[in-house]
Amino acid sequence: AWGNAVRNCVGSGHGYAEGIKKMKHIIILCMIDNKPRYTLQLTVDNGIMSVTQIADVGNARLNDVQRSNVEDAFKKALQEREKQLT
């Protein structure tokens, strides 16, 4: 359903499930106004999370400003969640 909503290959058997099970990467859906928008792929290596890929609807590439904005928003969301948990 996610892949259909954002018109990308998430959930179509491209190895995401296996990588997620092995804790090698995390796939996150970012929504804006309750509508699916960005798909982020994060790589986890030695406990450090790095953004590997960000795609817009239909796997559209982001320009540098868009990518930076999404990364900053995601970082802020993680920081807020961490505050809630402590």
Side-chain angles (χ1 to χ4, degrees):
W2 173 350
N4 288 336
V6 293
R7 298 187 306 277
N8 68 24
C9 61
V10 169
S12 64
H14 286 281
Y16 292 110
E18 196 59 34
I20 290 168
K21 287 178 190 176
K22 292 179 179 179
M23 300 297 291
K24 291 187 177 195
H25 59 255
I26 300 168
I27 306 292
I28 297 173
L29 175 64
C30 292
M31 299 178 70
I32 297 175
D33 297 327
N34 290 323
K35 295 178 186 168
R37 181 61 189 269
Y38 300 111
T39 303
L40 288 84
Q41 180 179 353
L42 307 172
T43 301
V44 180
D45 187 24
N46 291 322
I48 297 174
M49 198 180 314
S50 302
V51 176
T52 305
Q53 177 180 332
I54 302 175
D56 203 340
V57 172
N59 278 338
R61 296 179 64 91
L62 280 65
N63 65 36
D64 291 342
V65 172
Q66 291 169 315
R67 182 179 172 96
S68 179
N69 288 342
V70 173
E71 287 177 345
D72 289 346
F74 183 68
K75 183 178 3 176
K76 183 177 179 184
L78 283 177
Q79 290 169 342
E80 289 298 317
R81 184 62 179 144
E82 185 176 13
K83 286 179 191 175
Q84 292 172 351
L85 295 173
T86 56

